[in-house]
Amino acid sequence: MKELEAITGGALGGWMARFKSDGRSSHPAPPAGTKCDNCETELVGHYCHACGQEAADHHKSILHVTWEAIEGMFHFDGRLWRTLPWLFVRPGTLNREYLDGKRARHVPPFRLFLVSLLLFILSAETVIHKAVHDAQHPAGHAAPAGAAHGEAGKAAHGEAGGAASQASAEAAKELQEDGVLTVGKDGTKLRFVGPSKDALTKDKAKAEWLTTQLNKAVATPGYFMAVVFGWGHRLAVFLLPILALALAGCYFYRRKFFMYDHLIVSMNYLSFIFLLWAVVLILPRPVSEIGVLVALLWAPVNLFQTLRGVYGSNIFGAVLKTGVVWVTTQMAFVFLLLGLLWLGLSQI
């Protein structure tokens, strides 16, 4: 038992003390003359300047190895706890430092973007799965009071509607290919200006295809969601160049900023958006509405802070450009969402 406590305590202590807040190793520096275990180069500091391997004891506990596996996937270290608060409350400073070359203290933007996107997709998938499950397995199946009277009223209304439809059908006998509509028993003819028969046939085929695919999606919601989320993370990447181009268009006169700079800003801002909505989606029902309202207000405010901090815009200019970039990204998101749904329907 004492050995287990010692192993656990040592692992947790090593995990908590492995990195400082700026991402540097907190292990003691190796003695002078120590050689790298990997390439046998004499060490100067914590890391080998030849191969980059850390000079540390590699005999570790199971908990330490587990943490290293997680860290290897997401590269979570001391930089994460410095980057995340700044991403939410000081986005301008975060981007400005990274563009100025102070990068070792922060999580790389593209890695942060990918992890944030993954967390957002997992949160959205969980919420949608729960909504589908609740819809398929409602709590009560009893029909509400007065349902029988409602059905009777619908039946009567349907009969009346059927009679009206029959009268309309008798009034308009046929639709000719040349666009002539014969109306009434006296043979009075009215010129019908509208789509041709081929166009109507194509529209009918499209409507039938959409109805068929929607029925498939309703019948197999799990497969439909799998297809949609399979394409979701791919299409989300398209938001990066769209946002970067919007920033480049707003700041085309700032020659010192290149497309690379706009992409870095876009990655960090989209990471903030994905993380924010990932949290909002998993909030419990009583506070979810407040969370949605906070997210809708916080997103443009964060963009305003980013533009002020990175590009040095004055308040009026930052407000104007925030509006332009915000509207552009929202339109792009809507079009990508529609494209995502179309891809999902076309592949089920």
Tab-separated table of all heavy atoms in Angstrom, residues 241-262:
chain	number	residue	atom	x	y	z
A	241	PRO	N	-10.170	30.036	-44.503
A	241	PRO	CA	-9.833	30.979	-45.584
A	241	PRO	C	-10.894	32.046	-45.794
A	241	PRO	O	-10.564	33.172	-46.183
A	241	PRO	CB	-9.702	30.072	-46.820
A	241	PRO	CG	-10.469	28.845	-46.494
A	241	PRO	CD	-10.316	28.654	-45.010
A	242	ILE	N	-12.170	31.713	-45.514
A	242	ILE	CA	-13.224	32.720	-45.681
A	242	ILE	C	-13.026	33.864	-44.698
A	242	ILE	O	-13.083	35.055	-45.074
A	242	ILE	CB	-14.601	32.062	-45.503
A	242	ILE	CG1	-14.873	31.085	-46.648
A	242	ILE	CG2	-15.695	33.127	-45.448
A	242	ILE	CD1	-16.136	30.271	-46.474
A	243	LEU	N	-12.787	33.520	-43.437
A	243	LEU	CA	-12.559	34.566	-42.432
A	243	LEU	C	-11.269	35.324	-42.710
A	243	LEU	O	-11.217	36.560	-42.565
A	243	LEU	CB	-12.519	33.932	-41.038
A	243	LEU	CG	-12.285	34.872	-39.860
A	243	LEU	CD1	-13.315	35.983	-39.844
A	243	LEU	CD2	-12.317	34.087	-38.545
A	244	ALA	N	-10.223	34.616	-43.138
A	244	ALA	CA	-8.953	35.278	-43.439
A	244	ALA	C	-9.105	36.244	-44.610
A	244	ALA	O	-8.542	37.352	-44.594
A	244	ALA	CB	-7.881	34.231	-43.747
A	245	LEU	N	-9.859	35.850	-45.633
A	245	LEU	CA	-10.088	36.744	-46.780
A	245	LEU	C	-10.907	37.964	-46.370
A	245	LEU	O	-10.672	39.074	-46.873
A	245	LEU	CB	-10.790	35.983	-47.900
A	245	LEU	CG	-9.938	34.960	-48.655
A	245	LEU	CD1	-10.799	34.154	-49.625
A	245	LEU	CD2	-8.815	35.673	-49.424
A	246	ALA	N	-11.875	37.767	-45.462
A	246	ALA	CA	-12.646	38.915	-44.975
A	246	ALA	C	-11.746	39.891	-44.220
A	246	ALA	O	-11.854	41.121	-44.394
A	246	ALA	CB	-13.779	38.427	-44.076
A	247	LEU	N	-10.844	39.376	-43.400
A	247	LEU	CA	-9.900	40.249	-42.695
A	247	LEU	C	-8.946	40.936	-43.661
A	247	LEU	O	-8.642	42.128	-43.509
A	247	LEU	CB	-9.106	39.425	-41.674
A	247	LEU	CG	-9.892	38.875	-40.482
A	247	LEU	CD1	-9.014	37.936	-39.654
A	247	LEU	CD2	-10.422	40.014	-39.611
A	248	ALA	N	-8.483	40.183	-44.656
A	248	ALA	CA	-7.581	40.782	-45.645
A	248	ALA	C	-8.278	41.879	-46.423
A	248	ALA	O	-7.664	42.910	-46.755
A	248	ALA	CB	-7.072	39.700	-46.597
A	249	GLY	N	-9.571	41.687	-46.725
A	249	GLY	CA	-10.315	42.728	-47.435
A	249	GLY	C	-10.504	43.977	-46.594
A	249	GLY	O	-10.461	45.097	-47.112
A	250	CYS	N	-10.723	43.813	-45.292
A	250	CYS	CA	-10.926	44.969	-44.418
A	250	CYS	C	-9.626	45.728	-44.158
A	250	CYS	O	-9.651	46.936	-43.900
A	250	CYS	CB	-11.532	44.513	-43.089
A	250	CYS	SG	-13.240	43.963	-43.192
A	251	TYR	N	-8.494	45.019	-44.219
A	251	TYR	CA	-7.200	45.642	-43.903
A	251	TYR	C	-6.226	45.535	-45.081
A	251	TYR	O	-5.030	45.324	-44.880
A	251	TYR	CB	-6.596	44.987	-42.656
A	251	TYR	CG	-7.382	45.267	-41.398
A	251	TYR	CD1	-8.303	44.322	-40.917
A	251	TYR	CD2	-7.241	46.458	-40.701
A	251	TYR	CE1	-9.035	44.575	-39.767
A	251	TYR	CE2	-7.972	46.716	-39.557
A	251	TYR	CZ	-8.867	45.769	-39.089
A	251	TYR	OH	-9.599	46.018	-37.957
A	252	PHE	N	-6.758	45.689	-46.281
A	252	PHE	CA	-5.895	45.606	-47.469
A	252	PHE	C	-4.850	46.710	-47.502
A	252	PHE	O	-3.794	46.569	-48.125
A	252	PHE	CB	-6.761	45.663	-48.733
A	252	PHE	CG	-7.440	46.998	-48.947
A	252	PHE	CD1	-6.843	47.985	-49.729
A	252	PHE	CD2	-8.661	47.266	-48.363
A	252	PHE	CE1	-7.456	49.209	-49.928
A	252	PHE	CE2	-9.284	48.498	-48.556
A	252	PHE	CZ	-8.689	49.460	-49.340
A	253	TYR	N	-5.125	47.830	-46.836
A	253	TYR	CA	-4.202	48.967	-46.844
A	253	TYR	C	-3.078	48.812	-45.819
A	253	TYR	O	-2.133	49.597	-45.818
A	253	TYR	CB	-4.971	50.259	-46.557
A	253	TYR	CG	-5.775	50.228	-45.287
A	253	TYR	CD1	-5.216	50.639	-44.073
A	253	TYR	CD2	-7.095	49.786	-45.294
A	253	TYR	CE1	-5.949	50.611	-42.909
A	253	TYR	CE2	-7.837	49.749	-44.128
A	253	TYR	CZ	-7.265	50.162	-42.945
A	253	TYR	OH	-8.001	50.116	-41.789
A	254	ARG	N	-3.168	47.791	-44.957
A	254	ARG	CA	-2.100	47.540	-43.980
A	254	ARG	C	-1.095	46.576	-44.613
A	254	ARG	O	-1.268	45.358	-44.557
A	254	ARG	CB	-2.671	46.942	-42.701
A	254	ARG	CG	-3.660	47.848	-41.971
A	254	ARG	CD	-2.941	48.996	-41.291
A	254	ARG	NE	-3.833	49.823	-40.519
A	254	ARG	CZ	-4.154	49.611	-39.250
A	254	ARG	NH1	-3.626	48.565	-38.620
A	254	ARG	NH2	-4.974	50.403	-38.618
A	255	ARG	N	-0.060	47.119	-45.236
A	255	ARG	CA	0.883	46.302	-45.992
A	255	ARG	C	1.726	45.386	-45.124
A	255	ARG	O	2.275	44.394	-45.614
A	255	ARG	CB	1.806	47.224	-46.811
A	255	ARG	CG	1.070	48.110	-47.808
A	255	ARG	CD	0.363	47.277	-48.851
A	255	ARG	NE	-0.325	48.093	-49.847
A	255	ARG	CZ	-1.068	47.595	-50.839
A	255	ARG	NH1	-1.208	46.278	-50.926
A	255	ARG	NH2	-1.672	48.388	-51.693
A	256	LYS	N	1.821	45.682	-43.843
A	256	LYS	CA	2.678	44.857	-42.990
A	256	LYS	C	2.017	43.538	-42.597
A	256	LYS	O	2.671	42.648	-42.050
A	256	LYS	CB	3.077	45.623	-41.735
A	256	LYS	CG	1.925	45.926	-40.791
A	256	LYS	CD	2.438	46.624	-39.537
A	256	LYS	CE	1.303	46.885	-38.552
A	256	LYS	NZ	1.800	47.518	-37.315
A	257	PHE	N	0.714	43.403	-42.852
A	257	PHE	CA	0.003	42.169	-42.549
A	257	PHE	C	-0.139	41.328	-43.817
A	257	PHE	O	-0.561	41.831	-44.859
A	257	PHE	CB	-1.389	42.470	-41.977
A	257	PHE	CG	-1.355	43.091	-40.613
A	257	PHE	CD1	-1.590	44.450	-40.457
A	257	PHE	CD2	-1.072	42.326	-39.491
A	257	PHE	CE1	-1.556	45.032	-39.215
A	257	PHE	CE2	-1.032	42.910	-38.233
A	257	PHE	CZ	-1.273	44.266	-38.097
A	258	PHE	N	0.213	40.064	-43.704
A	258	PHE	CA	0.132	39.142	-44.827
A	258	PHE	C	-0.983	38.134	-44.569
A	258	PHE	O	-1.572	38.088	-43.481
A	258	PHE	CB	1.476	38.432	-45.028
A	258	PHE	CG	2.608	39.374	-45.333
A	258	PHE	CD1	3.399	39.896	-44.303
A	258	PHE	CD2	2.887	39.748	-46.637
A	258	PHE	CE1	4.440	40.771	-44.573
A	258	PHE	CE2	3.933	40.624	-46.923
A	258	PHE	CZ	4.699	41.131	-45.886
A	259	MET	N	-1.249	37.303	-45.583
A	259	MET	CA	-2.320	36.326	-45.443
A	259	MET	C	-2.030	35.361	-44.282
A	259	MET	O	-2.954	34.894	-43.613
A	259	MET	CB	-2.481	35.547	-46.758
A	259	MET	CG	-3.669	34.593	-46.766
A	259	MET	SD	-5.260	35.390	-46.392
A	259	MET	CE	-5.416	36.484	-47.800
A	260	TYR	N	-0.758	35.066	-44.053
A	260	TYR	CA	-0.395	34.211	-42.917
A	260	TYR	C	-0.894	34.814	-41.611
A	260	TYR	O	-1.434	34.102	-40.744
A	260	TYR	CB	1.126	34.034	-42.875
A	260	TYR	CG	1.638	33.389	-41.622
A	260	TYR	CD1	1.621	32.004	-41.469
A	260	TYR	CD2	2.133	34.167	-40.571
A	260	TYR	CE1	2.086	31.410	-40.304
A	260	TYR	CE2	2.593	33.587	-39.409
A	260	TYR	CZ	2.576	32.211	-39.282
A	260	TYR	OH	3.033	31.630	-38.128
A	261	ASP	N	-0.724	36.122	-41.430
A	261	ASP	CA	-1.178	36.783	-40.207
A	261	ASP	C	-2.688	36.682	-40.060
A	261	ASP	O	-3.201	36.417	-38.964
A	261	ASP	CB	-0.748	38.255	-40.223
A	261	ASP	CG	0.753	38.404	-40.386
A	261	ASP	OD1	1.481	37.630	-39.756
A	261	ASP	OD2	1.183	39.286	-41.151
A	262	HIS	N	-3.408	36.904	-41.154
A	262	HIS	CA	-4.869	36.806	-41.098
A	262	HIS	C	-5.323	35.386	-40.774
A	262	HIS	O	-6.320	35.190	-40.072
A	262	HIS	CB	-5.472	37.257	-42.429
A	262	HIS	CG	-5.102	38.660	-42.821
A	262	HIS	ND1	-5.224	39.722	-41.956
A	262	HIS	CD2	-4.622	39.168	-43.986
A	262	HIS	CE1	-4.838	40.829	-42.564
A	262	HIS	NE2	-4.466	40.515	-43.800
